[in-house]
Amino acid sequence: MVTKQDLKDLISLPFNTMDRRPSFIPIESAHISGISYLNIGDAGIELLSEFSNSGFKVSVPTTMNPGFTEIIKVGQICSIKIYEKQKLIVDLLRKMGINPSLTCVPYFHENVPRPGSHLAWAESSAVLYVNSIIGAWSNKESGISALASAIMGFTADIGVHKSDGRKPKVKAIYEGSLMNELEAGALGYILGEVTGDRIPYVKAKGLTHNHINIIEFLAAFGTSGFAPMISIEGISPVRKLDIEIRDMEVIRISEKQIRSLIEELSSDEEPEAVVIGCPHVTLETIKMISENKKRFSLPTFVFTSSYVKDRVKETKLMDNIEKRGVKLIANSCVMWCGLKEMEIRTVITNSMKAAYYLKNQLNVKTVLKPLSDILGTKWN
Ligand code: F3S
């Protein structure tokens, strides 16, 4: 049996110091990560069952990250066992009142935060987006601390919940001009590695409000770094007084570093499939894919939310992309059971985050290409 005191401990323990427990701050919403059967396995199901059997319900709007498979119907690709285990996880969370959004970009439709609102979100790419682009306030919670906060309605009042905790500690300048989302991702990855847990103030030509560039940049930053936000010049809604860039260490990143990283992480093995949608793609990206005239010659898997997939199904877009050999997958992370079941060893992707996790979690190698190349080169 889990008690409310256990939940309070889960929220504050990571922030306790020898002589002090943090105070709490009310939250307006929560987002839970770590719900894929691939990551939490049977031990995670046991823990979630304990939470659910304790009769807890969330007290603020709460969404959930994607899982290991689609749960619309028993999949033809993934085994019934995996389907049933993933469905059980989702059902346990639903019983606690959590919206089965199953997406890592809930900030677009299912759980849109208000600028200035305090949140308890997990999923690093989403936390970075809500802090850096929307101007909401959330630390990088773990899946379990976000769940405890969602039930209690508050989180630890520390880190970026304080104005002081949002100030950049290092300035980063990109000396080239970013040409696409893959380069934006490579910049994010390098930046995360060199800044560690320090919030950077970033100046980069080519890093614009274009959704796909920003999303890939932030997701890659969250893969290698620990800071929960970035101040991006001309984009982030930061107040002047939050930026005191005088006397700050300055880091310069060059085009050469970006090119070498892409090369280093790119396999020269023959790809067997195309994987797009880490983080989940928006409707705009699906429209872009549907405008591509040629049929993909490799099996092509595009990952998105159920919300977007339902919109696609309402239009001719679904027909268009299916004719091009694209399978649109909702509810699932790109760390998808299908890649494992089909024994796919190398894929093409435009995502640095996918490249990192596919290699480390599924032992799948990646050929890195921007979406424009994937849509228009010899691979299609
Ligand atoms: Fe989303 Fe999975 Fe990538 S949760 S950000 S598709 S690693």
Side-chain angles (χ1 to χ4, degrees), residues 135-171:
W137 302 37
S138 177
N139 282 319
K140 253 185 182 182
E141 301 271 356
S142 68
I144 204 74
S145 72
L147 177 58
S149 293
I151 294 166
M152 300 301 285
F154 54 71
T155 188
D157 187 14
I158 204 154
V160 294
H161 289 291
K162 304 279 195 195
S163 292
D164 256 6
R166 302 178 72 82
K167 287 183 180 162
K169 299 279 185 290
V170 55
K171 183 174 183 181

Side-chain angles (χ1 to χ4, degrees), residues 315-369:
T315 66
K316 282 186 182 157
L317 273 178
M318 194 60 144
D319 249 18
N320 281 353
I321 60 167
E322 279 179 348
K323 269 186 214 147
R324 282 158 184 69
V326 173
K327 184 166 169 50
L328 193 59
I329 299 173
N331 311 146
S332 180
C333 172
V334 296
M335 260 25 85
W336 174 49
C337 57
L339 298 177
K340 214 170 147 81
E341 304 263 334
M342 289 184 280
E343 295 182 2
I344 288 175
R345 284 151 309 176
T346 308
V347 300
I348 305 181
T349 186
N350 61 341
S351 164
M352 294 296 294
K353 179 170 181 174
Y356 178 87
Y357 283 106
L358 284 170
K359 181 165 169 249
N360 291 305
Q361 290 203 340
L362 290 182
N363 202 19
V364 171
K365 295 190 183 116
T366 46
V367 175
L368 284 162
K369 299 269 174 201

Side-chain angles (χ1 to χ4, degrees), residues 31-48:
H31 178 72
I32 319 288
S33 71
I35 71 131
S36 168
Y37 181 60
L38 171 72
N39 297 327
I40 63 173
D42 292 330
I45 292 181
E46 229 174 89
L47 183 67
L48 289 178

Side-chain angles (χ1 to χ4, degrees), residues 246-279:
R246 271 171 297 143
D247 304 330
M248 217 184 268
E249 181 194 345
V250 177
I251 292 166
R252 294 183 186 276
I253 298 168
S254 67
E255 272 183 358
K256 193 169 160 223
Q257 282 173 280
I258 299 249
R259 276 199 300 272
S260 327
L261 179 70
I262 293 173
E263 220 177 284
E264 184 193 316
L265 294 184
S266 215
S267 165
D268 45 20
E269 281 178 31
E270 200 59 27
E272 297 158 308
V274 178
V275 167
I276 299 163
C278 175

Side-chain angles (χ1 to χ4, degrees), residues 41-112:
D42 292 330
I45 292 181
E46 229 174 89
L47 183 67
L48 289 178
S49 303
E50 263 197 60
F51 267 74
S52 175
N53 294 338
S54 303
F56 291 131
K57 296 264 184 257
V58 295
S59 57
V60 293
T62 305
T63 40
M64 59 177 94
N65 235 27
F68 193 26
T69 182
E70 285 201 284
I71 52 156
I72 301 159
K73 56 178 191 252
V74 178
Q76 282 142 27
I77 298 175
C78 299
S79 71
I80 294 178
K81 180 190 159 206
I82 285 175
Y83 169 85
E84 281 173 351
K85 296 279 188 183
Q86 187 62 60
K87 186 160 184 313
L88 177 58
I89 293 170
V90 174
D91 287 345
L92 288 168
L93 294 167
R94 278 171 92 135
K95 212 172 133 201
M96 287 187 261
I98 299 170
N99 175 351
S101 55
L102 290 156
T103 181
C104 41
V105 296
Y107 43 80
F108 284 135
H109 305 291
E110 300 87 344
N111 192 354
V112 184

